[in-house]
Every structure is written in C-alpha cells, then in structure tokens.
Amino acid sequence: MASQQASQSLELLSQRQIDQFHKNGFLCIPGFFNQEETTTLLNRSRQLLHDFDIRSHPLTKFSTGTRENSKHVGDEYFLNSGDKIRFFLEEDAVDSRGTLILPKEKSVNKIGHALHVLDPAFNAATMQNDRIKSLCKDLKFHHNPSVLQSMVICKQQSIGGEVPEHNDSPEIFQYTDPPSALGFWIPLEECTKENGALSFSPGSHLNRNITKRFVRLPAGGTGFEALTPSEGVSGNAEETIPPYELVPCSPGDLVLIHGSVLHKSGRNTSTRTRFAYTFHMIESPPDAVYDEKNWLQPTAEMPFTKLFE
C-alpha cells in the first residue's frame, strides 16, 4: 500500500510525451534510470553470465529467422522458460557440430524470461519500482497491467545477430484480445548504429495489417500461423509503412514500445556489447484475454505478476 501511495504522488509523463507515444508508437525518456541503477543491472547481468553453467546447457540458440534454414528455437528449454532464468546463445556461437566456439560470456544472446520475479536486482527495477508504476498510471495504456516476461539482451560484439522488423503484439509474442502489449526497453550500455540500436517505423502501429502470428504448434515447437481475414488485425486498406528512424540511446534511458509498432535492430558489427534490459506488460483478465496459442504461458507456480499488487 505504501508503495502504491508513493507512486501516485509522482508525475513522470507530460501530455506532450503521451501524445507523442500514441502518434509514433514509441517514446524515448532520457535518464529514466540513474547511473547507479543502470550499473547495478549491468553488473548483475554480467554476474549471471559468469555464474551460469555451460556444462549443463543444451546449447540452445536463439534464432531470429533471418537465415536460410534457420528456425526460431522451439524446444522445451525455450518453451518452459517463462518461470525460470535461462540462457540462449547467439547463432554464431555454436559451430555445425554443436560445439561452443567462444567463451560462454561472449556467446549468450539473451537471458530470460522471469528475471522480474526471480532475480532481486531486476525485481527491484521492475515490480518494486514506484517510477514504473507512476509512468503506467500517467500513460493509461492499461487498467490493470501484468508483467509477463523479462530479458537481458546481450547483443554480443561482432556476432550479435540482426533482429528483423516485427511487432511484439499481435504478430509475434504476446497476443491478447484486444491487443494490449507494451514494451519497456532500457539500454544498459551506449546504443549506436554500429552495435545495434533500435529503429522504429513511426506510426506503423496505426496502419499495419497483420496476416500471421507466432504460436505454439500442435505438433510441438513454435512457428508462424497464417490468420484468416476475420482473425487478422487490419489498419488502413492500403498499407503504407513509414520509413524507419534510428533511435540511439544512452545507458539508463527508457524506450516505451507500443505492441503493434514495427521495430528492428541491426547486427552488432562493433567491438562493444549492447546490453539492454527489457520487459513486457499486457492487460490482465478480464479486460483482455491472453491467447492459449502464445508460446509463453503462465504456470500454477508463477502466474503473470500484476504490477499493482
């Protein structure tokens, strides 16, 4: 109760910022996290990489599907990671024989997906953060938000893979009816064009026609499922995608990402990593229905965590 009362006293977004978010589908808030907070999360990310035991790891790679014959990871290690902290490797970190060719700290693509619940540092930055709660109240994007997944994206130097254009909902990961996904993306290191800063197509959330969804497949694993015209989420009759805008960021900035806006990031061609912490919120039932085909499903041990409880 005290935390909620404290958050009600903060006003973090101006009306101009709120209008900009709804117009463009994204908003960068400089310096949302201070240097100490950002350094804490970066150091914790590095500690997790140092401590994780590669000997018991199935060498599961995270594929963005940009290469021929490349499939998104769909095994049990991935599908059962919603209530755990697990490690997913860069495509170029494992050779054709399944052998790790780089040190483990330089091989991980991302760490996920329940950092916001299971790790004290990330829990404090997410679920116990009064400024996050105040921002959500200012934005009024959700009535009763739940946090459903959290990740550290490592974007390793020289091998950090490209992420092609996508949106987070309804096309890719977090489909609800009605669509309600909202992303929070916090760079823990400087993000530039060379090391894979995000790019957005401003306003694409307003006119994007959705024809497919990323789902759990009946036969196992994951893949894309075509939508019928009645199921699809449509924008304008004649779809036009605005040009992409690169959004360089500094450590501690916060980027809000509308679930339907198109965004992407390039390959990391630099000699520096691009660590970022990201988590996603959705509207809680009964205001939105979380689809049973989504790859990430709540468990009895860890239902989706409501922000205001």
Side-chain angles (χ1 to χ4, degrees), residues 205-216:
H205 62 302
L206 302 174
N207 62 5
R208 174 67 167 164
N209 293 319
I210 305 302
T211 59
K212 61 182 180 180
R213 279 187 52 207
F214 183 80
V215 298
R216 286 185 178 230

Side-chain angles (χ1 to χ4, degrees), residues 59-75 77-78 87-94 107-110 113 153 155 159-164 166 172-173 214 222-224 267 295:
L59 296 184
T60 299
K61 297 179 288 184
F62 183 83
S63 170
T64 58
T66 58
R67 302 182 183 184
E68 187 176 358
N69 298 323
S70 176
K71 295 182 180 180
H72 189 285
V73 58
D75 61 15
Y77 186 84
F78 174 75
F87 300 81
F88 303 90
L89 306 179
E90 290 284 358
E91 290 185 283
D92 286 343
V94 181
S107 300
V108 174
N109 170 288
K110 70 173 182 175
H113 290 89
I153 309 296
K155 205 78 163 179
I159 68 167
E162 173 189 4
V163 179
H166 68 282
I172 303 296
F173 300 123
F214 183 80
T222 57
F224 284 96
R267 185 179 179 86
W295 79 264

Side-chain angles (χ1 to χ4, degrees), residues 174-298:
Q174 301 114 17
Y175 181 75
T176 64
D177 185 13
S180 65
L182 176 66
F184 293 70
W185 196 86
I186 303 101
L188 306 181
E189 299 181 289
E190 198 73 28
C191 297
T192 66
K193 179 180 180 180
E194 290 71 29
N195 73 351
L198 295 178
S199 295
F200 293 88
S201 176
S204 56
H205 62 302
L206 302 174
N207 62 5
R208 174 67 167 164
N209 293 319
I210 305 302
T211 59
K212 61 182 180 180
R213 279 187 52 207
F214 183 80
V215 298
R216 286 185 178 230
L217 297 174
T222 57
F224 284 96
E225 176 185 77
L227 296 175
T228 66
S230 61
E231 294 175 318
V233 178
S234 299
N236 297 332
E238 296 184 2
E239 180 182 1
T240 57
I241 303 301
Y244 272 84
E245 175 184 328
L246 184 71
V247 183
C249 295
S250 296
D253 293 350
L254 169 63
V255 183
L256 295 177
I257 305 175
H258 190 290
S260 295
V261 73
L262 287 172
H263 55 287
K264 60 184 180 180
S265 66
R267 185 179 179 86
N268 185 353
T269 60
S270 77
T271 58
R272 298 181 292 108
T273 54
R274 194 224 64 184
F275 279 58
Y277 174 53
T278 183
F279 58 93
H280 293 88
M281 293 186 190
I282 57 169
E283 187 65 82
S284 303
D287 297 296
V289 178
Y290 190 77
D291 198 283
E292 63 183 10
K293 292 182 180 180
N294 290 337
W295 79 264
L296 178 65
Q297 294 294 324

